[in-house]
Amino acid sequence: MLLLHRAGVLGLRQACRLKCTHSRLCTQACSTNDSFQRQCPRLAFSRDNSRTRGWRVMGTLLGLGAALAYHDHRCRAAQDSTRIYTREEVKSHTSPETRIWVTLGSEVFDVTDFVDLHPGGPSKLMLAAGGPLEPFWALYAVHNQSHIREILAQYKIGELSPEDKAPSTLKTSDPYADDPIRHPALKVNSQRPFNAEPPPELLTENYITPNPIFFTRNHLPVPNLDPDTYRLHIIGPPGGQSLSLSLDDLHQFPKHEITATVQCAGNRRSEMNQIKEVRGLEWSTGAISTARWAGARLCDVLAKAGHQLRDAEAHVCFEGLDSDPTGTAYGASIPLARAMDPEAEVLLAYEMNGQPLPRDHGFPVRVVVPGVVGARHVKWLGKVSVEPEESYSHWQRRDYKGFSPSVDWDSVDFDSAPSIQELPVQSAITEPKDGEIIESREVTVKGYAWSGGGRAVVRVDVSLDGGLTWQVAELDEEKQCPRKAWAWRLWQLQATVPPGKKELNIVCKAVDDSYNVQPDTVAPIWNLRGVLNNAWHRVHVRVAP
């Protein structure tokens, strides 16, 4: 009763204060919550001293006290959110001691309590401390999603003064404004950074993928590099010499050409997403393409700088010239043993299908590592070094790794898994399309097949009934060298539709020369990043009556 009495007294005192300031507060702070004014009870005191009436009064007062406390909190929050600050005031809040403030448009936010929770790491958010978020948000379109705005809204503390105009230095150009023009046939998975794949019906029209529809995987804005001033820095070993190579210098090395397929680790991720949600771009079957590459062999360039094979483990680290606002560049690495092996045919490529590399594909120089995941084929190459450990790049250490289906984002330990290098055997159907109607009594099934590490595809099996019965597809006539089968095999099957069939469940699976074969379903190989999906590919079609 004493607690109830105190709550009631506090509520009454608050009610008296509210009575005097009700109009001002509601106008100032409660305009967004009209329901509060309608729900405020009128106090009525009675001479009835019955116990029941007393409890009712106490309950009413207790509820009123809680309501008024909530109202007071709303009023204070609303008053804070309409406070006006200058840019100079915001600029002084750049540490936990002074509180960390940022702006977005005309709004001011205190994000001190969110810094350690930032998915990209505290350091990335701290770059904007005391200033605007726009230059950093422009790099990643994910920030424009509504739930991101809702999270930020919780930290709003006020508005920028209308008289405090933004200095001209804040008119930051769009970092993607200078990206190259892309082919309209590409299916875009993200615009910023740009990631896109060719439609399946175009993907296997040609053994060599035309440059304009070669799948594009970018992690950052595309740099616009001047070939005349471009330099590739090769860090030499102790006692050796570091090289600074111009494009002309690179052309002085013996020119080497290979036909090689490049596949993203996330190819066919969309199928994993159907089993359980994963993080990553929604790639279909088109995050793979094949080109004729030309350039200097990496082993020749490393030897020129004085590098040679070592007894101890070593890695060749690549650093691109694409970078984020912190200056952090895209990076990756491969084992030195692969880099120094002439038979591995790792290239510092400057041509793609007989032309200078397109900007989206690494102009003027990129790495091509045949038989290895696309993440190691670093584009816009700026620096090469040999280190005792693999690259410390985020994309080498904290991405592009496979895990058990039981691992989630709360339990994942990226240090426990090796970085993806060679990829498993893969195949997919590109014709007919899923959901297509087959008009004739014959069906033509087309697709591609490829295996990492130079392992040749020796067979592709196709089923029209979900895997109950199988037929062997016809492989293209492109020759593949043993242990150096860097490029895919295109295949096709012409089959008769079984009588009475109203629909077909078409499935394909490939076998390589080590007799590796694709698993039949996605679920056992599901992983939280949605990489390494090489399950049987399935397409459902209907048969016209």
Side-chain angles (χ1 to χ4, degrees):
M1 284 297 292
L2 180 60
L3 293 174
L4 291 173
H5 173 72
R6 287 177 178 172
V9 170
L10 290 173
L12 285 172
R13 289 177 179 172
Q14 184 75 7
C16 292
R17 289 197 296 269
L18 179 62
K19 188 174 182 180
C20 300
T21 58
H22 179 272
S23 176
R24 177 173 61 85
L25 284 173
C26 287
T27 300
Q28 205 174 56
C30 298
S31 60
T32 60
N33 189 9
D34 295 336
S35 62
F36 177 84
Q37 189 172 0
R38 291 192 296 269
Q39 293 170 0
C40 287
R42 291 182 175 272
L43 293 179
F45 298 96
S46 170
R47 294 182 181 273
D48 187 346
N49 292 321
S50 69
R51 181 175 299 178
T52 302
R53 181 63 56 87
W55 278 107
R56 287 178 181 173
V57 170
M58 285 299 115
T60 300
L61 290 175
L62 183 59
L64 178 61
L68 289 173
Y70 174 72
H71 172 265
D72 185 60
H73 169 77
R74 286 293 303 270
C75 291
R76 291 177 184 273
Q79 287 173 334
D80 286 345
S81 67
T82 55
R83 285 195 60 179
I84 303 300
Y85 301 98
T86 65
R87 292 187 187 276
E88 281 301 313
E89 287 181 281
V90 174
K91 192 175 179 180
S92 66
H93 292 268
T94 58
S95 69
E97 291 73 28
T98 61
R99 307 294 292 178
I100 301 161
W101 291 8
V102 295
T103 65
L104 185 67
S106 63
E107 298 177 302
V108 180
F109 305 88
D110 181 344
V111 296
T112 310
D113 298 331
F114 180 72
V115 169
D116 288 334
L117 303 175
H118 185 244
S123 62
K124 297 292 176 67
L125 183 54
M126 286 300 293
L127 288 171
L133 288 170
E134 283 90 341
F136 305 96
W137 277 29
L139 276 176
Y140 297 100
V142 66
H143 290 111
N144 294 320
Q145 298 182 37
S146 59
H147 74 278
I148 302 294
R149 299 284 181 147
E150 290 169 4
I151 293 172
L152 182 63
Q154 300 175 41
Y155 299 93
K156 181 177 177 180
I157 58 171
E159 299 274 344
L160 284 172
S161 171
E163 289 78 27
D164 191 6
K165 295 182 180 179
S168 59
T169 54
L170 293 180
K171 296 178 182 177
T172 308
S173 61
D174 180 353
Y176 294 95
D178 195 36
D179 268 17
I181 297 173
R182 280 86 180 205
H183 195 283
L186 290 172
K187 176 197 170 189
V188 178
N189 289 321
S190 76
Q191 284 283 0
R192 300 171 178 228
F194 187 80
N195 291 281
E197 60 187 297
E201 57 267 33
L202 293 183
L203 184 59
T204 53
E205 280 292 297
N206 301 283
Y207 180 72
I208 299 295
T209 311
N211 289 356
I213 63 167
F214 197 101
F215 93 96
T216 301
R217 176 64 173 112
N218 294 335
H219 295 83
L220 297 161
V222 177
N224 196 352
L225 304 175
D226 183 349
D228 295 329
T229 60
Y230 169 80
R231 294 295 183 271
L232 172 59
H233 299 284
I234 312 293
I235 309 302
Q241 60 175 335
S242 293
L243 307 176
S244 180
L245 302 175
S246 68
L247 198 53
D248 286 340
D249 292 333
L250 207 55
H251 279 266
Q252 301 309 308
F253 288 88
K255 185 177 181 180
H256 193 75
E257 296 188 43
I258 57 170
T259 300
T261 295
V262 180
Q263 180 181 223
C264 178
N267 193 29
R268 299 179 56 197
R269 178 181 283 127
S270 58
E271 296 165 51
M272 279 197 174
N273 222 11
Q274 293 172 12
I275 301 298
K276 184 180 175 182
E277 186 177 0
V278 298
R279 293 185 186 178
L281 296 168
E282 192 85 348
W283 294 110
S284 182
T285 56
I288 183 171
S289 298
T290 299
R292 183 73 176 168
W293 308 96
R297 291 191 305 183
L298 177 60
C299 61
D300 294 339
V301 177
L302 289 176
K304 180 73 174 177
H307 288 290
Q308 55 187 350
L309 281 174
R310 306 176 183 180
D311 293 333
E313 180 183 4
H315 302 262
V316 179
C317 299
F318 308 114
E319 188 174 293
L321 293 170
D322 50 335
S323 62
D324 65 14
T326 69
T328 302
Y330 183 85
S333 61
I334 62 173
L336 177 63
R338 182 184 292 273
M340 292 299 294
D341 183 1
E343 294 298 303
E345 299 186 288
V346 181
L347 294 187
L348 302 180
Y350 46 75
E351 285 184 7
M352 178 179 179
N353 294 332
Q355 301 175 349
L357 292 173
R359 280 185 60 207
D360 257 334
H361 300 291
F363 179 83
V365 176
R366 73 173 296 169
V367 184
V368 174
V369 192
V372 168
V373 64
R376 315 300 168 217
H377 298 229
V378 176
K379 299 188 282 188
W380 313 290
L381 187 63
K383 179 182 174 183
V384 179
S385 63
V386 178
E387 310 291 347
E389 296 186 19
E390 66 177 3
S391 170
Y392 279 92
S393 165
H394 165 85
W395 293 279
Q396 186 82 22
R397 299 277 182 135
R398 291 293 179 268
D399 203 352
Y400 298 118
K401 294 185 176 185
F403 295 94
S404 166
S406 64
V407 174
D408 59 23
W409 287 102
D410 293 325
S411 62
V412 64
D413 176 10
F414 277 95
D415 291 329
S416 69
S419 302
I420 299 171
Q421 293 285 341
E422 296 180 1
L423 287 170
V425 63
Q426 173 74 283
S427 71
I429 299 164
T430 58
E431 184 182 325
K433 293 189 294 185
D434 193 57
E436 189 172 327
I437 298 176
I438 306 299
E439 297 291 346
S440 67
R441 303 313 301 174
E442 280 200 347
V443 60
T444 300
V445 185
K446 295 182 179 180
Y448 64 78
W450 180 76
S451 192
R455 293 178 290 274
V457 170
V458 297
R459 193 178 80 238
V460 174
D461 300 324
V462 180
S463 173
L464 303 184
D465 52 17
L468 296 177
T469 61
W470 296 91
Q471 302 179 58
V472 178
E474 179 184 354
L475 300 176
D476 62 49
E477 296 181 0
E478 293 288 338
K479 293 182 179 179
Q480 294 189 319
C481 298
R483 299 177 302 284
K484 294 170 65 174
W486 308 132
W488 60 13
R489 302 292 300 269
L490 302 185
W491 55 266
Q492 70 172 5
L493 173 74
Q494 284 196 312
T496 302
V497 176
K501 281 285 185 180
K502 295 182 178 179
E503 59 181 43
L504 302 177
N505 181 6
I506 307 176
V507 178
C508 71
K509 61 181 176 71
V511 182
D512 68 21
D513 60 9
S514 293
Y515 287 97
N516 297 307
V517 66
Q518 297 171 250
D520 58 347
T521 57
V522 175
I525 58 172
W526 182 95
N527 58 87
L528 75 177
R529 275 293 280 120
V531 294
L532 303 169
N533 180 17
N534 70 326
W536 297 355
H537 188 225
R538 302 169 184 269
V539 168
H540 293 83
V541 299
R542 289 183 293 164
V543 180

